[in-house]
Amino acid sequence: DADVTQTPRNRITKTGKRIMLECSQTKGHDRMYWYRQDPGLGLRLIYYSFDVKDINKGEISDGYSVSRQAQAKFSLSLESAIPNQTALYFCATSPQGYPYEQYFGPGTRLTVT
Amino acid sequence: GEDVEQSLFLSVREGDSSVINCTYTDSSSTYLYWYKQEPGAGLQLLTYIFSNMDMKQDQRLTVLLNKKDKHLSLRIADTQTGDSAIYFCAETSFRSNTGKLIFGQGTTLQVKP
């Protein structure tokens, strides 16, 4: 079984709709991250969380919000989706301490029409 | 701010060696990583190197780090068609103490039979 899972894997939604992407992990890691990937831009950090009560904005948090429901679950919400939020979204986890290697889920491909 | 740069594309013949290059700007980089992304999949950690090392070898993979020039490379020996993927370089530093990774744009490796 995959250690980091994301649901849904694909989603098409309309402008203005609220959408939630979910991430679950069985690795027992405290740290979780949400990234978006756009062609030619690499991965950009949206939000990260060190534990259930510690949530931080990344470099591109505008238009997004997150919820850390439990150590194993970290959700990303788009309150009012817009077309330029069309992208591939990845969740990742890492253990405490160096080397902070991150383990990624399979991604959610989101299309906003 | 921190920046990581990679060339976007590399094409090699099966059986040849591949060398993927990366440059970074953060002189306090502590760990540097190589990730592989196959089509439709998340990022898979290939290897990482601590900044006080010059080289790390793991089977067909060799990582070279030139800290003076802030240059990192990944050499894949005897490249196979299954190595075709996007390869991302990433770095983190003690200064951030967050475990946040800064990613390059990714290098697409095409392996021709």
Side-chain angles (χ1 to χ4, degrees):
Chain A
D1 288 340
D3 294 317
V4 185
T5 58
Q6 293 183 237
T7 56
R9 293 294 313 278
N10 287 282
R11 180 72 182 266
I12 301 173
T13 192
K14 293 187 185 296
T15 297
K17 293 290 187 182
R18 184 180 188 275
I19 184 168
M20 179 182 287
L21 308 183
E22 299 189 345
C23 176
S24 294
Q25 54 116 345
T26 58
K27 298 188 78 67
H29 292 162
D30 288 324
R31 298 185 173 212
M32 298 187 74
Y33 307 81
W34 275 105
Y35 293 90
R36 68 176 276 174
Q37 182 182 24
D38 299 278
L41 293 180
L43 276 75
R44 293 181 292 167
L45 183 63
I46 306 172
Y47 271 95
Y48 60 103
S49 170
F50 288 166
D51 64 37
V52 174
K53 295 182 180 179
D54 186 354
I55 294 177
N56 305 276
K57 292 183 178 180
E59 58 181 305
I60 55 162
S61 59
D62 288 348
Y64 302 95
S65 63
V66 291
S67 172
R68 184 84 183 263
Q69 301 95 325
Q71 188 212 33
K73 295 184 183 296
F74 192 34
S75 301
L76 176 71
S77 293
L78 287 68
E79 298 301 326
S80 179
I82 56 177
N84 77 358
Q85 290 177 315
T86 293
L88 194 50
Y89 290 85
F90 287 104
C91 173
T93 74
S94 75
Q96 296 280 9
Y98 286 97
Y100 286 139
E101 73 277 18
Q102 292 187 14
Y103 298 89
F104 285 77
T108 294
R109 184 166 295 281
L110 177 66
T111 303
V112 183
T113 61
Chain B
E2 304 96 343
D3 195 21
V4 178
E5 297 281 337
Q6 300 177 240
S7 55
L8 295 182
F9 186 77
L10 176 66
S11 181
V12 300
R13 293 234 173 255
E14 191 174 20
D16 289 348
S17 292
S18 307
V19 179
I20 302 171
N21 294 300
C22 171
T23 57
Y24 58 97
T25 58
D26 188 356
S27 58
S28 68
S29 288
T30 308
Y31 281 93
L32 297 113
Y33 312 80
W34 284 105
Y35 283 85
K36 175 184 181 183
Q37 184 183 29
E38 296 183 17
L43 278 69
Q44 172 194 356
L45 178 65
L46 288 177
T47 187
Y48 60 86
I49 188 168
F50 186 46
S51 59
N52 69 352
M53 298 172 64
D54 298 325
M55 184 180 82
K56 182 177 181 180
Q57 190 154 1
D58 184 1
Q59 300 182 336
R60 292 190 299 122
L61 304 180
T62 302
V63 177
L64 295 178
L65 175 60
N66 182 327
K67 197 172 180 182
K68 173 177 170 290
D69 294 337
K70 300 189 184 69
H71 183 267
L72 182 74
S73 68
L74 175 69
R75 178 178 181 270
I76 306 173
D78 187 24
T79 312
Q80 302 298 307
T81 55
D83 295 323
S84 292
I86 303 175
Y87 291 80
F88 290 93
C89 167
E91 63 94 12
T92 192
S93 76
F94 279 133
R95 183 177 56 193
S96 73
N97 196 31
T98 62
K100 288 194 298 182
L101 299 187
I102 307 298
F103 284 87
Q105 311 95 309
T107 299
T108 297
L109 175 63
Q110 179 191 65
V111 182
K112 297 180 180 178

